[in-house]
Amino acid sequence: AAGKIHILRSKTPGVMITQYSASLPEGKSTPDFQCKPVPVTIPEGKLAVFRAVVTGDPKPDVSWRRAKGTITDKEKFQRKYDESTGEHILEIYKVTATESDTYKCSAVNEYGKAVCTTTLSVIDGKSLMQQLSHMHLFLLFLHKFLCFSKEERAGGENDEKFWDALLNAERKDYERICKENGITDLHLILKKLEEKKKQRGQIKHRINVEEADNALFECVLTHPLPQITWMRKGLILEDGEKYSITVSEHKLIHRLMIKDCNKTDKGIYSAVAGITSCSAWLVVEGKPPLLLIFINSIASQTFAFHVLQIEDFLYIFLIMVYGEKTVFFSDPGVHFIWGLSDVDAIIHETAELTCKLSSDDYEGAWFRDGKKVGPRSHTSQIFLFSLTEYPPRFNPEDLCAFTEPLAIKVGHNAIFKVQFVGHQPIKIQWFRDGDELQDDSSAKIENSAGHSRLLLSRCQRKDMGEIKIKLKNEHGFTEALSKLLVLDKPSPPQGPAEVTESSASCIEFKWRPPKDDGGSPVISYMLERQQVGRNTWKKIGEMKGGPAYRDTDVDRGRRYCYRIRAVTAEGISEAMETDDMQAGTFALPGPPTPPQVLSAFHDCINLSWSPPSNTGGSRILGYVLEKRKKGSNLWSVVNAADEKYAVRDVVEGIEYEFRVSAVNLSGAGESSNPSEFAFARDPKKPPGKVTSLKVTETSYTNMVLTWTKPEEKPGIQDEAKGYFVEIRQADSLEWSRCNTTPCIVTSFNVRGLRSMEMYWIRVITANDGGEGPPEELPNYVLAMPSPVRPKFTKRMKNFMVVKAGNSVRITVNFEASPRPEIVWLKDNVLVSKRVTVSNSDCSSQLLIPISERSDSGVYSILVKNLVGQETSSTEIRVTDDPKPPGLVELEENVPGTVTVMWEPSPDEKRDDRLHYTVSKLDSSKRTWTPVADRLFNNRFTVCNIVHGREYHFRVFAKNDMGISEPSESPTWGTEKKKGGFSKPTFNVLPSLLEKLVVSETASKDCYECYMSCAVKGNPSPHITWYRNHVSLNTDTNYYISNTCGVCSLAILSVGPKDVGEYTVIAENSLGRLHVQNFPSTECALKGKPVEL
C-alpha cells in the first residue's frame, strides 16, 4: 500500500532493517550488516577502532553518528574503507572520557536502511595497575595466567568460540583455524563438525548471553496481533519474575526477556502466532576466564578485583585503595566478606579502616604511596590499620561567625577573616560569585599559618554577592560561604507614570518601584504636586503602600505634574517627575469586546466580555447589555453590573444575539459588535466517530484526508459541526492538532510534514456539546507520494535544427513518484561532459552551451523509478550556412538541351540534407529564373535551349540553415541557326519518358522521401499528384515541381500518415496520362524503409 514501510529481521543480532517498499526488483536487496561493530573498552589516550561489514544491492552508503555529541572533528574521528576486506572503519584517536558514548552505524540504499549500535567505554588513565609498585604480585598473577593459557590451548576443541568459527568459515579455512587453536587431529574435528551442523541445521537464529545477564527475544509480525504465545520445551511461558513479555504500541513487535540467565535456561524458544511459528537458540555462557572490575566510589576509595579461573579453582587478586593507602591480598579461593568503607577522621585522633576475609590462611599487607606501612593487627580474619590524616579544617567559632551575612554601607570597607588548621602546605583561595579574587587596589588578601583575611575597600553596590574561601592540601579540601551586603539609598522610582483614572474630581495614577532599592525594602513614597503654569510645589506627604496614588483635590480641566521619591531605612531617593496630567475631561468609554456565549440552556444563556481598552479617563461604573432575536431589528435592554451575566428572559428554541456598552462617569459609551447567535436550548450531546477515514493523496510534505460525517442519534450523539485533525510521529506519544478552529468540510490537507517520516493520524468530531471520540487510522502513513509510473507531460520535438555556435536547450516535463533516475543518451551512448543536465522533481533540461557539428545526433532521455520507465527521443542537427559548389561545366548531349554539371560543395559529405538549386539567365530576358530545385545529385539537364541566344547558369547549395553563394557557369551559345524560322511543332498526347521512382539520392538514413518521373506532350501537360486518390497539389507538407517535363515530389517530414499509393496524372487538351508507382518503390521513414 502507498506510504508503508516494512521492518525486517536481520540475520545479525542487534541490527534493525527498514524496507521502503513491499517488493524489491529482481537481484536487488536492502542493506544488512554481515559483521556489526563490537563494543570497545579501552584505556584513556589509546586508539579506539570500530569495524563493520555491510551488504546490499545497490551498494549502501555507510555513516557514523554518536548519541551525545558530533564526530565532525577530523583529527579526532577518521572514517576509512578497506577495499581488500570490505570493512567500514571508524578510528578515534587519543580517546578521553568525553568520547565514552553510544555510536550508531547506518547503511542506506534506495531500497532500505540498516542500523546497529555499539558502545565505547574509556577507563581512567590512572589505572590501578600503574599504582602497583610491588612486582611480585603481578608476576604471581602472570605465572598462573600462563599456566592456564597452556591448559586452555590443549583443550581448544571444547571452546564454543572455536566451533562457531568453524561453522561460519569456508572449508578451505578449516586447517588454518585448527592450527590457531592447537588442534592436530583434523579428521576427528571434521566428523564432530558434521554432527554440530545437523544439530544447528533447523535453527538459524541464536542468542549468546553470559550468566546472570538478561536475554531478549524479539518477533516482528507483518500484521498487528495483541498477543502471541511464547513456548519452551512444549511449555507456555507466562509474564512473571523470570520472564517479561511485552508488545509494542502498534502490536507488530513482541518481545520476551529472560531475566538473570543461568545454564538451565539454555535451549530452543519459540514464538507462535496462529498457525505460524519461529524458533531461536539461547546459549548461556560462563563468565570469561579473566575479569577486571573497577569500582569507583566517594572519598577516593577504589577496589580492583583480578579474577583468574583455572578449571575448578578461582584465584582472586584484590587491590584496595583508600586515598593513598593500598592493601594487597592473593590466595586461591579467598574472597572478602566485607571490604573497606569511608571513614571520617578527626585531626589528632585515630581513624580505623577494617576488612574481613573468608579464610584463616591469608597473607596481607597495608601500603601507603606504594610503601609498606604500620604493624598489622588481626583477630581471626579481620585486618585493622590505623592512620592519621590532616585535611584542612576551619575553627568552629570562626566558621560560625564567617557564615553570617556581612552588611555595610556603600563606600565602607568589608573584612572577612577565618582561622583554620591542617597539614601544610595549604592552598588558600578567595572567591566572589564564583570568580577568584586577587590582590589589587580593591581587594587585599593576607595569609599566615592558620589564618586568612580578606579586605574589600570602598565597597559599592556592584561588589555585593557570595564570598567563598577554599582551603586545599594533599589530604583533602574544605570550603566556607558567606554573603556581602552593601547598603545605599534607593534609586528614583521608575516612570513614566500611568494614569488609571482622570475625572472632574480626581486623578489616579501609578508608577514602578525603584530599579535598585539599595538593599532595603521601600517603606513609603513622598509626593509633591505642581499645577502647570505655577512655580511652587505643594507637599502632599508620605504615602504608605504600593506605587500608586489617587489625588482627589483637583479642579476640573486643570493640568498637574508630580514629584515622587522612594523612602527606605537607608535614606530618600532622588525625585522622579511625571508628565502633565489633566483632570476632569468629558470622555465616553470605548466599546467592550463582543459578548462570548459561555453556555446556553432552555431558560438561560450565560455571557461574558472584556472591558474596553479606552475607559474615557475614568473608571467603569457598569454595563448596558442588550439582546435581539434573530430576524428582528429591535434591541431590548438587559441590566448588567460586571463582565459576566446570565440572561434569563429568553424563550426556548429562539436564537438570540447580544451587544454591550460600558458606562463611566461621563455616561454610556459605544456599543460593542454583536455576539454570535445562540439558541436558548439545553446543551447538545457530543457527536460520534467519523467513518470511512482514509488517505486519498500523499506527498513528501503533505497528505489529504477524507471521511464520512457521523450519524445523528437523538439522546446519544448529536450532529457534528466541525472536525479536528491530529497527528503524531511514530516515535512520539504526543498528538499535535493541525487546525486550531474546527473545519466544517469532510476533508483536510495536512501540511508541513517531514519527508519519509511515519505518522499516525486521527480525526475528532466537535459540536456545541464538546468533542467526540477520536477515529484513528489503523496503520501509520509514510510522508511520500503514491507510486506513479513515469509519464511525459510535454514531449520533445522530433527534429531540431541548430546553427553551429548557438546553444542547444531541451526541456522535458514528466510526472513520476518516487523521484526517478534520469539518464540522457546520444546515439544510445551517455552524453559527454560538455553537456549540462539539470534535473528536478518534475522536469529535466539538457544544455549544450556552444554547439558543434559533432553534436548532431539522436538524443534520448530515460526516466526510471521503482514503478517503471519511459523514454523519449529527438534528433538535433547542428549545421551552418553551406559553402558554394565547385567548378560548373556545360555540355550538350541532345539538341535543344544543356546539361549543367558541377563539383559538389565541401559540406555535402557532412550534411545529408544539403541539396542544390540551378538558375538560368537568358540573353533575351536579362533576368535570372530558377530551373531546378532540391537536386541531390551534381548535374541537371536544362531543356528549351534556343540557338542563337546566350545563356548563363548559377548553381547554389542549400541546407536547413540557408543558401550559399552561387557558382557560375561559362557562357553558353553565341550563334543562331541559319534558315530563318523554325518548323512548327505538332500537338501530341502526354506520354511517359521515365517511370515514377524514388530518387537515388534519397538514402536509407534520411528523413525525407523524394520521387520523380518524366513526361512529354504538346501543349505542355498539367501535372497533378495524388496519394490514395487524394490530390496533394495544395498540401504544404509536399514540395511539387515540374521543370521541362521532369515532375518531382519531395515529402518534407515523413510520417506514418504518408504511407500509401502515389499517382501522377499528366493532362493536356489532347488527353490524360496516368503514372502509378511500382510496389518495390521505397522511401525512408524515420530511418526505416517503408513501402509506399
Side-chain angles (χ1 to χ4, degrees):
K4 288 187 177 180
I5 67 172
H6 301 267
I7 306 300
L8 305 181
R9 184 70 173 180
S10 172
K11 295 181 180 179
T12 303
V15 178
M16 187 182 74
I17 302 176
T18 303
Q19 183 174 310
Y20 295 152
S21 58
S23 60
L24 298 178
E26 185 177 357
K28 303 299 180 181
S29 63
T30 57
D32 194 3
F33 281 85
Q34 183 178 347
C35 177
K36 70 173 188 176
V38 298
V40 175
T41 300
I42 194 170
E44 189 174 14
K46 299 295 183 179
L47 171 65
V49 180
F50 293 111
R51 303 175 187 270
V53 179
V54 299
T55 60
D57 190 8
K59 185 176 181 180
D61 295 327
V62 177
S63 61
W64 298 85
R65 291 190 300 169
R66 59 180 294 191
K68 299 179 182 178
T70 62
I71 57 175
T72 56
D73 187 354
K74 294 184 179 180
E75 295 183 357
K76 173 70 72 172
F77 302 92
Q78 292 191 9
R79 305 174 183 86
K80 298 180 180 179
Y81 176 70
D82 191 340
E83 294 184 358
S84 61
T85 61
E87 292 179 328
H88 295 268
I89 302 172
L90 174 64
E91 295 181 346
I92 308 175
Y93 290 85
K94 297 181 180 179
V95 295
T96 62
T98 58
E99 277 79 55
S100 294
D101 203 347
T102 299
Y103 291 78
K104 180 185 289 186
C105 184
S106 303
V108 182
N109 66 9
E110 60 182 286
Y111 300 111
K113 177 174 69 174
V115 179
C116 68
T117 59
T118 186
T119 57
L120 173 63
S121 301
V122 181
I123 302 173
D124 187 4
K126 298 180 179 178
S127 67
L128 193 58
M129 290 301 295
Q130 294 175 355
Q131 297 180 23
L132 299 177
S133 60
H134 297 270
M135 293 303 296
H136 67 276
L137 180 64
F138 179 74
L139 292 175
L140 176 62
F141 174 82
L142 182 60
H143 171 71
K144 293 185 177 182
F145 177 76
L146 293 176
C147 295
F148 167 77
S149 299
K150 292 179 181 179
E151 294 180 12
E152 181 64 19
R153 286 197 297 270
E157 64 184 46
N158 298 321
D159 188 0
E160 188 67 24
K161 294 183 179 179
F162 164 74
W163 290 108
D164 286 344
L166 283 180
L167 288 169
N168 297 322
E170 297 182 2
R171 194 174 186 87
K172 62 180 182 179
D173 296 328
Y174 288 170
E175 185 176 356
R176 176 182 57 80
I177 296 174
C178 289
K179 287 182 179 180
E180 291 176 355
N181 289 270
I183 306 299
T184 57
D185 192 351
L186 181 60
H187 181 71
L188 178 62
I189 292 298
L190 292 178
K191 285 186 177 181
K192 292 184 178 181
L193 181 62
E194 292 299 325
E195 294 176 1
K196 289 185 176 290
K197 285 185 177 180
K198 291 180 181 179
Q199 294 176 1
R200 300 189 182 182
Q202 297 181 350
I203 308 299
K204 296 183 178 180
H205 300 287
R206 189 178 71 168
I207 296 179
N208 291 26
V209 297
E210 294 180 359
E211 284 186 293
D213 289 346
N214 296 337
L216 177 64
F217 290 90
E218 185 173 273
C219 179
V220 182
L221 306 181
T222 57
H223 300 284
L225 283 178
Q227 184 178 0
I228 66 173
T229 303
W230 293 92
M231 302 185 67
R232 175 176 179 260
K233 295 182 179 180
L235 300 177
I236 297 177
L237 306 181
E238 295 180 355
D239 188 63
E241 295 182 359
K242 183 64 178 178
Y243 303 101
S244 174
I245 300 176
T246 59
V247 61
S248 63
E249 185 177 352
H250 48 67
K251 312 298 183 185
L252 290 176
I253 302 176
H254 295 256
R255 299 181 178 91
L256 168 66
M257 178 179 287
I258 305 168
K259 305 174 184 176
D260 194 16
C261 293
N262 53 52
K263 292 287 186 179
T264 60
D265 294 324
K266 67 180 180 180
I268 300 175
Y269 290 77
S270 301
V272 182
I275 61 173
T276 305
S277 66
C278 61
S279 301
W281 276 97
L282 173 62
V283 178
V284 181
E285 300 175 344
K287 292 294 182 179
L290 180 61
L291 176 65
L292 178 60
I293 305 174
F294 290 95
I295 306 173
N296 295 318
S297 61
I298 60 174
S300 300
Q301 179 177 344
T302 305
F303 297 85
F305 296 92
H306 295 265
V307 183
L308 181 61
Q309 183 175 359
I310 303 176
E311 296 182 354
D312 297 330
F313 296 97
L314 183 68
Y315 291 85
I316 302 178
F317 298 86
L318 172 64
I319 301 96
M320 303 168 51
V321 179
Y322 184 87
E324 298 171 347
K325 309 294 181 294
T326 307
V327 189
F328 296 87
F329 293 97
S330 64
D331 199 6
V334 69
H335 65 274
F336 277 89
I337 295 177
W338 73 71
L340 295 179
S341 60
D342 294 342
V343 175
D344 293 327
I346 301 176
I347 296 177
H348 303 304
E349 295 184 5
T350 301
E352 187 174 86
L353 303 175
T354 64
C355 60
K356 183 176 181 180
L357 300 180
S358 61
S359 175
D360 293 332
D361 300 327
Y362 59 85
E363 291 183 4
W366 292 86
F367 290 84
R368 172 180 175 180
D369 294 334
K371 298 179 181 180
K372 192 172 182 179
V373 295
R376 69 170 185 263
S377 61
H378 62 88
T379 303
S380 183
Q381 301 93 348
I382 300 178
F383 287 82
L384 305 176
F385 185 78
S386 299
L387 63 140
T388 304
E389 292 185 350
Y390 300 94
R393 186 179 64 173
F394 293 106
N395 184 294
E397 296 180 359
D398 286 358
L399 181 61
C400 183
F402 178 81
T403 55
E404 291 293 328
L406 175 62
I408 61 172
K409 290 185 177 293
V410 66
H412 291 197
N413 297 337
I415 300 176
F416 295 90
K417 57 184 179 180
V418 66
Q419 293 185 3
F420 53 86
V421 292
H423 186 272
Q424 295 293 336
I426 297 178
K427 183 180 179 181
I428 304 172
Q429 293 174 288
W430 288 88
F431 299 88
R432 179 171 58 199
D433 289 334
D435 297 328
E436 185 174 359
L437 296 174
Q438 305 291 342
D439 272 335
D440 54 23
S441 58
S442 60
K444 183 68 175 177
I445 300 175
E446 298 176 357
N447 297 325
S448 62
H451 182 272
S452 183
R453 179 176 181 269
L454 171 65
L455 171 63
L456 300 176
S457 304
R458 299 181 295 279
C459 294
Q460 302 296 321
R461 288 281 297 164
K462 62 182 179 61
D463 296 324
M464 62 187 298
E466 182 185 76
I467 303 298
K468 180 176 74 172
I469 180 173
K470 180 177 181 181
L471 307 177
K472 182 178 181 182
N473 66 5
E474 59 182 353
H475 300 292
F477 71 92
T478 186
E479 296 177 347
L481 299 177
S482 185
K483 191 171 183 179
L484 174 63
L485 302 176
V486 181
L487 306 178
D488 195 5
K489 66 178 182 180
S491 61
Q494 299 182 84
E498 179 184 352
V499 178
T500 56
E501 182 179 345
S502 176
S503 64
S505 59
C506 74
I507 296 176
E508 185 174 352
F509 58 94
K510 61 182 181 179
W511 60 92
R512 290 181 294 164
K515 186 175 182 180
D516 181 11
D517 61 4
S520 300
V522 176
I523 300 173
S524 60
Y525 294 93
M526 297 182 63
L527 279 81
E528 293 179 285
R529 187 186 74 181
Q530 181 190 53
Q531 182 177 325
V532 175
R534 296 185 179 181
N535 296 327
T536 59
W537 288 87
K538 176 183 176 182
K539 290 186 177 181
I540 297 177
E542 189 171 341
M543 304 298 167
K544 305 285 186 181
Y549 180 67
R550 182 181 178 87
D551 190 358
T552 57
D553 184 18
V554 295
D555 296 329
R556 181 169 183 170
R558 300 282 186 184
R559 302 179 68 85
Y560 301 90
C561 65
Y562 297 83
R563 286 178 179 169
I564 308 170
R565 294 178 174 88
V567 180
T568 68
E570 300 300 322
I572 303 173
S573 71
E574 299 294 328
M576 184 271 290
E577 190 169 332
T578 67
D579 297 331
D580 295 347
M581 304 178 189
Q582 187 174 6
T585 58
F586 180 81
L588 298 175
T593 60
Q596 299 291 325
V597 179
L598 300 179
S599 59
F601 302 90
H602 70 279
D603 58 351
C604 176
I605 296 177
N606 294 311
L607 305 173
S608 71
W609 58 89
S610 299
S613 57
N614 176 21
T615 63
S618 60
R619 68 179 183 276
I620 301 299
L621 302 177
Y623 297 91
V624 177
L625 178 65
E626 298 175 286
K627 69 175 182 179
R628 181 173 68 176
K629 297 179 182 179
K630 186 174 184 179
S632 173
N633 295 325
L634 179 63
W635 290 93
S636 59
V637 177
V638 180
N639 291 332
D642 53 20
E643 289 81 12
K644 290 185 179 180
Y645 193 75
V647 182
R648 300 188 178 278
D649 184 16
V650 293
V651 179
E652 183 177 2
I654 302 300
E655 199 170 3
Y656 295 90
E657 64 177 341
F658 303 89
R659 69 182 184 185
V660 65
S661 58
V663 180
N664 66 0
L665 296 175
S666 300
E670 182 183 354
S671 298
S672 68
N673 293 327
S675 68
E676 296 181 354
F677 284 98
F679 278 100
R681 63 186 180 191
D682 290 333
K684 284 192 171 185
K685 298 287 185 181
K689 291 184 179 181
V690 301
T691 58
S692 303
L693 176 62
K694 60 183 178 180
V695 178
T696 59
E697 182 181 344
T698 59
S699 70
Y700 291 114
T701 58
N702 66 317
M703 63 180 68
V704 179
L705 307 174
T706 61
W707 58 85
T708 302
K709 185 176 181 180
E711 296 182 359
E712 183 179 359
K713 299 179 181 179
I716 300 176
Q717 59 186 42
D718 288 330
E719 180 185 8
K721 295 293 186 180
Y723 308 92
F724 291 102
V725 178
E726 294 183 339
I727 65 172
R728 69 176 177 87
Q729 293 184 353
D731 57 354
S732 174
L733 298 178
E734 295 185 2
W735 292 90
S736 60
R737 186 159 287 187
C738 302
N739 52 325
T740 55
T741 58
C743 66
I744 60 175
V745 296
T746 57
S747 64
F748 190 80
N749 189 359
V750 182
R751 304 178 185 274
L753 304 180
R754 297 175 61 183
S755 176
M756 300 304 294
E757 284 285 343
M758 295 181 293
Y759 293 91
W760 292 93
I761 302 175
R762 68 182 184 183
V763 177
I764 301 174
T765 55
N767 62 9
D768 295 336
E771 296 182 357
E775 175 64 16
E776 186 175 343
L777 285 174
N779 298 315
Y780 56 78
V781 180
L782 192 63
M784 64 171 286
S786 300
V788 176
R789 177 186 173 88
K791 179 179 66 176
F792 292 106
T793 57
K794 180 181 178 183
R795 286 188 173 271
M796 301 181 289
K797 296 180 180 179
N798 292 334
F799 183 77
M800 294 175 60
V801 179
V802 180
K803 187 174 182 179
N806 291 349
S807 63
V808 178
R809 192 185 306 269
I810 305 174
T811 302
V812 180
N813 297 326
F814 56 83
E815 294 178 354
S817 177
R819 185 170 180 172
E821 176 186 358
I822 300 173
V823 179
W824 282 90
L825 304 174
K826 177 196 172 189
D827 298 330
N828 296 325
V829 179
L830 290 175
V831 294
S832 64
K833 295 183 179 179
R834 292 182 55 251
V835 179
T836 302
V837 177
S838 302
N839 299 323
S840 66
D841 290 340
C842 57
S843 66
S844 181
Q845 184 183 82
L846 179 142
L847 173 65
I848 304 176
I850 301 176
S851 61
E852 301 175 356
R853 285 182 180 266
S854 60
D855 294 324
S856 298
V858 178
Y859 287 80
S860 303
I861 181 175
L862 173 65
V863 183
K864 178 182 178 182
N865 65 4
L866 298 175
V867 185
Q869 64 182 32
E870 190 72 17
T871 60
S872 181
S873 302
T874 184
E875 182 186 6
I876 297 177
R877 186 178 297 276
V878 180
T879 184
D880 206 343
D881 293 333
K883 296 180 181 178
L887 178 65
V888 180
E889 298 179 352
L890 302 177
E891 182 181 80
E892 182 179 17
N893 294 325
V894 179
T897 65
V898 173
T899 299
V900 183
M901 299 173 294
W902 60 90
E903 295 180 358
S905 168
D907 292 333
E908 183 174 317
K909 294 182 180 180
R910 296 188 296 176
D911 193 345
D912 56 1
R913 297 173 62 87
L914 183 138
H915 56 275
Y916 300 95
T917 299
V918 179
S919 298
K920 178 185 70 174
L921 175 64
D922 190 341
S923 60
S924 63
K925 295 182 180 180
R926 297 298 178 184
T927 58
W928 290 93
T929 58
V931 295
D933 194 8
R934 301 194 64 80
L935 300 175
F936 288 90
N937 54 7
N938 303 113
R939 60 187 298 157
F940 181 75
T941 301
V942 182
C943 303
N944 298 327
I945 299 299
V946 180
H947 290 282
R949 295 183 183 176
E950 290 185 357
Y951 293 90
H952 297 269
F953 298 93
R954 286 179 177 174
V955 181
F956 301 85
K958 294 176 66 177
N959 65 4
D960 295 318
M961 282 290 100
I963 190 168
S964 69
E965 294 294 326
S967 296
E968 297 198 8
S969 69
T971 303
W972 175 266
T974 56
E975 299 180 356
K976 192 174 182 180
K977 280 189 176 182
K978 297 181 180 180
F981 299 99
S982 61
K983 295 182 181 180
T985 303
F986 297 98
N987 294 340
V988 293
L989 286 168
S991 62
L992 181 65
L993 296 179
E994 294 288 341
K995 66 181 180 180
L996 179 60
V997 294
V998 175
S999 174
E1000 294 179 358
T1001 59
S1003 65
K1004 300 289 184 181
D1005 296 331
C1006 79
Y1007 281 77
E1008 296 183 352
C1009 185
Y1010 179 78
M1011 59 183 72
S1012 64
C1013 64
V1015 298
K1016 68 177 180 178
N1018 193 23
S1020 179
H1022 175 71
I1023 306 300
T1024 306
W1025 286 83
Y1026 291 89
R1027 178 176 58 81
N1028 295 335
H1029 307 294
V1030 177
S1031 175
L1032 303 176
N1033 282 33
T1034 59
D1035 195 330
T1036 57
N1037 193 43
Y1038 301 90
Y1039 182 80
I1040 299 174
S1041 64
N1042 181 15
T1043 305
C1044 298
V1046 178
C1047 308
S1048 61
L1049 178 141
I1051 305 175
L1052 301 181
S1053 180
V1054 177
K1057 61 183 177 55
D1058 298 314
V1059 176
E1061 181 182 18
Y1062 286 76
T1063 306
V1064 179
I1065 297 180
E1067 184 178 12
N1068 65 5
S1069 57
L1070 299 180
R1072 174 183 294 182
L1073 172 67
H1074 290 263
V1075 182
Q1076 191 169 3
N1077 69 316
F1078 293 92
S1080 61
T1081 303
E1082 296 180 350
C1083 73
L1085 174 61
K1086 288 190 177 181
K1088 298 180 179 179
V1090 178
E1091 293 190 2
L1092 299 178

